[in-house]
Amino acid sequence: MKKDERELYFAQNIPLPETPKPASGVKPWEATKVVGTPLPRVDAYERVSGKAIYPSDIIFPDMLYAAILRCPHAHAVVKDVDTRQAEKSVGVRAVLSAKTPAADILWPYTPEMKTKLFDPWCRFEGETVAAVAAETPYQAWDAVRSIRVAYDVLPALSDERKSLDAGAVLVHKEGNKVKTDKYERGDVAKGFAEADVVLEQTYRNESELHTPMELHGCVARWDGDSLTIWESTQGVFSVQARVAEVLRLPLSKVRVIGHYMGGGFGSKLQADKATVIAALLAKKTARPVKLFLSREETYLAAGNRPPSTMKLKAGVKKDGTLTALEFSGTGSSGAYPAGGTSLLDWLVRDLYRCPNVRTETTDVYINAGPARPFRAPGHPQGAWALEQMLDSLAEAIAMDPVELRLKNVSTVSQARPNNPPYTTTGLQECIEKGAQAFGWKEVRNKIAGQPKNGHIRRGVGMAAGLWVAGGGNPPSTVLVKLFADGSANLNMGASDIGTGTKTVMAMVVAEELGVKPESLQIEHADTGTTQYATPSGGSKTVPTESPTVRAAALSVKQQLLELAAEDLKTHFSDLALSGDEIVVLSDPSKKIKITGVTGLKKRGVIVGVGYRGPNPEGKVVNPFAAQFCEVEVDTRTGEVRIVRFLAAQDSGRVMDRLTFDNQTFGGITMGIGFALTEGRVLDGSQTGKLVNKNWHDYKLPTMLDVPSDMTCLPIDRPDPEANLTGAKGLGEPVTIPTAAAIGNAVYHATGVRVFETPMNPPRLLKLFSQAIK
């Protein structure tokens, strides 16, 4: 959020003087009655019955449908756009292109990098060229196909490893380097000199595409000079801010609603060009316009996890002490700055105790769609390199991989200035308890005693990780209302992106006020009616919003007890809320129903306001993970079957055991795709175009790729220093070590180390043919 937007927000939301605030020094929960239990989703019926209305379900009687003409070339300059035939087509009500005065606006990829909404220099396949609104989707697409465009097709750059070569195609005239970041501590040369073993290897991951179930898009409708957008988004306030900025509207004139969303994984943290295009078409036609991308369009223009090439050099003593780590990585933002190497080196910097570390990452341009945050940006790639290297080091010094990691557990964040301590460090418990529950030593001994002369081979592997964020952060504001009949309302701006946010927050209210979670009325994700929240992503939603919800509920409880004290003729400090009653602690025979409190009946409602306080000063809040898997590899076909998988996760307090398990299994599944099946393929020989832009050719993991034996092992240790609920993030850390654990297991099974993703049959067969006799 920009500084001026934040200041404007707070200026508009100064609490009234009489608004009670939660008392400072609130104690952490000890035993809980609701929080931590396996509670089904409060909106489960709506989701499974079809009653839930997603943005893609929105329909208005006079609604138009829009489609976008996108550049079919990876690199081209638009010389002319002829929309005359489209304008005369049946059902067409509006056409936009670079020639349209209303569409002559700038699109900010970053504050410093802005291009035209319909920019003539198309730097990636899928860039917007024109758009049409018509009475039906078919008419819109027919009109799009009738638009004639003259392109000057240019050579394309599709491989980030060649971006800085002499004579490489220039994506931007200033050059192909976005930026280089460097980090160093200690004396790396000295560290390597002290090592008994030094290994060096290059690792690579292919680009991964988000491809969420619900497509990207929105419905836009104007009412006078006010715009309402129903968007499939992870953050309604971020969309509001971007649209208001681009269209030069006051925030008060842009309302964004996103009550349900069918997946995002980071790709829906921001507004798309399509959002603004829909708004412009709706303005031009004075009718609502629905614009949702096709599946192919999302592959081209809705983000990706960047491809990365990483070189890692590591030194270790015979006793397992890491002495030095040196990392260099190259990744690509795509055609515009988008964090192509964001956090790529973080695990090397911070996961294990090591006094001497040097990293350098270089982000470069290629002619491909801009990257976007993708579930733990940079971390799965970094883990792919670091965690395989740790196993290689362990083998070189004849130490168990688990023992090597335990030898180097850190209790402070070494990558930050002054080495601040973690509020809680669950890495050691994740590794130890995970290994014990998995039967690590037993299964390794069993496999070691089996002959490796057949084509079906078994192996086990493990990997660990942390997520750089996951501690939550301000700002966040939540309202909780308690009505005279004892029912309650929760008002928050956070989006529930399918992870159970509404359920967890309802459990927090239930824990404090005694209401049933399923009976709570919940208002959320609507900039017009709910309180400000940052986007749901980065594993920050629960640790950001749940303390805010608890603060609001505590405010309600405090006011309720003060009102009841007048009826019970005692001080509110001698009162406790028990179910639907308020009881005098010193004389439990004295009590009053919530609905009988005179002050509540007179007021009609109690409103509690919660604010997210700052994170603990001088300390770091991070979640940790360790994962273990067993695989079966067919060396004749190159197929890898994951037999079982166990994930030990330290994410602070377990808020809802059911959603905790579901998040874990979903993260493992996504990590399996990263490891075994997924990879964007660009035509590097001629056109630079995306080859596998559909669900048939882009191989997502299916039920057949996921083991039926998956275990979630929560390291349930509430973090009282982190926030009011003791919770840390979960969504990101569950997918960080997965691919590396599988890679280590494949090596254990076959003796062949795989350095590139995906580990699909063609790649493995080639490696096996060279190595396995």
Side-chain angles (χ1 to χ4, degrees):
M1 188 180 190
K2 294 182 179 179
K3 181 180 179 182
D4 56 347
E5 294 171 348
R6 186 181 292 113
E7 291 174 349
L8 176 63
Y9 170 76
F10 284 121
Q12 293 175 337
N13 288 269
I14 298 173
L16 297 174
E18 64 271 19
T19 301
K21 294 186 178 180
S24 59
V26 175
K27 294 181 179 179
W29 286 316
E30 295 179 359
T32 55
K33 296 179 180 179
V34 180
V35 168
T37 61
L39 187 73
R41 305 291 178 90
V42 295
D43 57 358
Y45 175 77
E46 287 80 2
R47 290 181 181 273
V48 301
S49 67
K51 186 179 179 181
I53 299 176
Y54 290 76
S56 51
D57 295 325
I58 297 292
I59 296 176
F60 292 104
D62 58 343
M63 189 170 73
L64 298 174
Y65 296 84
I68 296 174
L69 174 64
R70 297 182 180 273
C71 179
H73 308 290
H75 199 191
V77 174
V78 175
K79 310 302 290 184
D80 183 60
V81 179
D82 184 352
T83 62
R84 289 175 293 178
Q85 184 59 44
E87 292 163 2
K88 296 185 292 185
S89 296
V90 175
V92 171
R93 298 294 175 259
V95 178
L96 296 178
S97 71
K99 298 178 181 178
T100 309
D104 186 17
I105 56 179
L106 293 177
W107 178 260
Y109 281 104
T110 70
E112 299 77 25
M113 176 75 75
K114 297 181 179 181
T115 66
K116 297 280 190 180
L117 183 65
F118 297 108
D119 199 89
W121 192 347
C122 299
R123 293 180 170 89
F124 64 94
E125 181 189 8
E127 181 60 285
T128 54
V129 176
V132 172
E135 297 290 344
T136 71
Y138 303 102
Q139 291 171 341
W141 279 110
D142 285 345
V144 160
R145 294 185 182 98
S146 73
I147 297 174
R148 296 291 173 257
V149 183
Y151 294 101
D152 183 3
V153 180
L154 304 174
L157 176 64
S158 60
D159 189 340
E160 85 285 353
R161 291 166 290 188
K162 300 178 181 179
S163 290
L164 301 181
D165 290 353
V169 172
L170 292 182
V171 181
H172 293 270
K173 59 184 179 181
E174 298 82 6
N176 289 337
K177 182 188 286 189
V178 181
K179 65 173 182 174
T180 294
D181 292 319
K182 297 181 180 181
Y183 169 84
E184 186 168 1
R185 69 171 180 262
D187 187 334
V188 172
K190 181 173 177 284
F192 285 127
E194 294 173 347
D196 293 313
V197 172
V198 176
L199 299 178
E200 187 172 3
Q201 188 54 250
T202 298
Y203 306 86
R204 175 171 173 77
N205 69 276
E206 295 297 339
S207 176
E208 190 180 15
L209 300 169
H210 299 77
T211 186
M213 184 71 74
E214 184 183 27
L215 299 167
H216 294 65
C218 71
V219 175
R221 184 179 71 177
W222 290 84
D223 183 3
D225 62 350
S226 295
L227 171 64
T228 301
I229 298 170
W230 291 262
E231 174 117 1
S232 181
T233 178
Q234 294 174 240
V236 291
F237 286 92
S238 65
V239 173
Q240 178 198 40
R242 175 59 62 87
V243 172
E245 174 191 1
V246 172
L247 296 181
R248 298 183 179 181
L249 294 170
L251 290 170
S252 61
K253 295 294 184 180
V254 180
R255 180 183 181 187
V256 181
I257 304 169
H259 293 153
Y260 289 91
M261 190 202 70
F265 316 117
S267 68
K268 295 179 181 177
L269 289 168
Q270 61 195 58
D272 287 304
K273 278 189 176 183
T275 310
V276 172
I277 290 171
L280 293 174
L281 289 168
K283 187 72 170 178
K284 189 172 183 179
T285 59
R287 292 171 63 176
V289 170
K290 186 172 192 174
L291 175 50
F292 273 79
L293 277 59
S294 67
R295 179 63 58 192
E296 291 78 8
E297 288 178 284
T298 68
Y299 276 62
L300 294 170
N304 57 78
R305 188 189 297 281
S308 305
T309 300
M310 301 161 285
K311 180 181 288 186
L312 180 58
K313 183 178 180 181
V316 66
K317 292 183 177 180
K318 291 180 180 178
D319 67 355
T321 302
L322 292 174
T323 62
L325 294 169
E326 187 173 23
F327 176 93
S328 63
T330 301
S332 177
S333 281
Y336 292 96
T341 53
S342 176
L343 302 174
L344 185 64
D345 61 344
W346 191 261
L347 293 182
V348 174
R349 294 190 196 185
D350 214 32
L351 181 56
Y352 297 112
R353 186 175 59 248
C354 185
N356 309 297
V357 176
R358 180 165 59 220
T359 69
E360 180 175 313
T361 58
T362 301
D363 188 1
V364 296
Y365 295 119
I366 61 172
N367 292 116
R372 289 187 186 178
F374 194 157
R375 204 169 190 169
H379 286 54
Q381 302 99 296
W384 176 250
L386 177 63
E387 290 302 292
Q388 289 204 81
M389 175 59 78
L390 261 288
D391 264 37
S392 296
L393 291 173
E395 183 180 43
I397 61 173
M399 179 178 280
D400 187 290
V402 164
E403 297 304 319
L404 177 61
R405 288 169 172 84
L406 289 173
K407 176 78 174 180
N408 295 282
V409 169
S410 177
T411 58
V412 301
S413 177
Q414 307 158 90
R416 294 176 171 89
N418 303 317
N419 294 339
Y422 297 114
T423 50
T424 54
T425 312
L427 181 58
Q428 181 172 336
E429 280 190 80
C430 286
I431 296 173
E432 290 179 339
K433 292 185 177 181
Q436 181 180 7
F438 185 78
W440 174 258
K441 290 183 177 180
E442 295 81 2
V443 72
R444 278 175 63 89
N445 290 335
K446 180 180 178 181
I447 291 173
Q450 296 175 348
K452 289 191 175 182
N453 52 11
H455 67 280
I456 302 295
R457 303 191 182 180
R458 287 225 173 186
V460 292
M462 64 87 56
L466 65 76
W467 169 232
V468 67
N473 52 274
S476 173
T477 303
V478 167
L479 299 182
V480 172
K481 301 175 185 178
L482 180 66
F483 299 107
D485 65 354
S487 62
N489 167 277
L490 169 62
N491 181 291
M492 62 179 184
S495 298
D496 188 328
I497 59 178
T499 55
T501 298
K502 287 189 289 184
T503 304
V504 170
M505 303 312 151
M507 294 173 77
V508 173
V509 176
E511 189 68 46
E512 292 296 345
L513 300 182
V515 298
K516 293 182 178 180
E518 61 271 19
S519 66
L520 186 70
Q521 181 195 24
I522 301 176
E523 299 172 293
H524 80 297
D526 182 341
T527 64
T529 62
T530 63
Q531 310 311 300
Y532 181 82
T534 51
S536 294
S539 297
K540 46 72 60 183
T541 308
V542 166
T544 295
E545 306 303 331
S546 65
T548 315
V549 172
R550 188 182 180 207
L554 286 170
S555 176
V556 169
K557 182 189 287 188
Q558 174 78 10
Q559 296 175 72
L560 178 63
L561 296 180
E562 289 176 357
L563 292 175
E566 297 177 9
D567 289 327
L568 294 169
K569 308 302 181 185
T570 186
H571 193 266
F572 71 85
S573 61
D574 192 30
L575 298 179
L577 185 60
S578 177
D580 62 352
E581 294 180 327
I582 299 162
V583 180
V584 179
L585 294 174
S586 59
D587 185 0
S589 64
K590 293 182 180 180
K591 60 185 69 175
I592 187 173
K593 292 278 190 182
I594 291 176
T595 53
V597 175
T598 304
L600 176 56
K601 289 191 285 187
K602 286 181 178 180
R603 286 172 55 171
V605 63
I606 295 174
V607 180
V609 184
Y611 301 96
R612 176 58 157 88
N615 287 345
E617 187 174 352
K619 295 192 175 183
V620 174
V621 184
N622 282 168
F624 296 86
Q627 297 184 346
F628 302 77
C629 71
E630 182 174 358
V631 302
E632 187 178 83
V633 184
D634 189 329
T635 58
R636 289 181 180 176
T637 65
E639 293 175 285
V640 176
R641 185 174 74 88
I642 302 174
V643 179
R644 61 191 180 107
F645 209 105
L646 181 142
Q649 306 291 148
D650 164 36
S651 290
R653 182 187 298 277
V654 175
M655 301 295 288
D656 179 350
R657 181 57 198 267
L658 188 58
T659 60
F660 195 101
D661 286 356
N662 290 340
Q663 272 276 63
T664 300
F665 298 148
I668 292 169
T669 302
M670 186 165 282
I672 290 172
F674 180 80
L676 298 180
T677 65
E678 296 184 54
R680 180 183 68 183
V681 179
L682 301 176
D683 176 16
S685 61
Q686 296 181 14
T687 66
K689 290 168 65 69
L690 179 59
V691 175
N692 55 337
K693 56 184 177 183
N694 55 65
W695 273 350
H696 179 272
D697 297 324
Y698 183 85
K699 302 299 184 182
L700 291 169
T702 70
M703 291 180 67
L704 297 178
D705 300 300
V706 178
S708 57
D709 185 354
M710 283 200 292
T711 302
C712 172
L713 179 64
I715 307 301
D716 192 355
R717 47 182 302 178
D719 190 335
E721 289 189 86
N723 52 62
L724 284 180
T725 57
K728 300 191 290 188
L730 177 65
E732 258 70 16
V734 292
T735 204
I736 290 169
T738 308
I742 298 170
N744 286 333
V746 168
Y747 175 78
H748 186 241
T750 65
V752 175
R753 178 67 67 184
V754 186
F755 301 109
E756 299 184 28
T757 71
M759 295 185 290
N760 54 23
R763 172 167 283 133
L764 292 183
L765 279 178
K766 182 178 179 180
L767 293 173
F768 292 161
S769 66
Q770 297 168 351
I772 296 180
K773 305 300 181 182

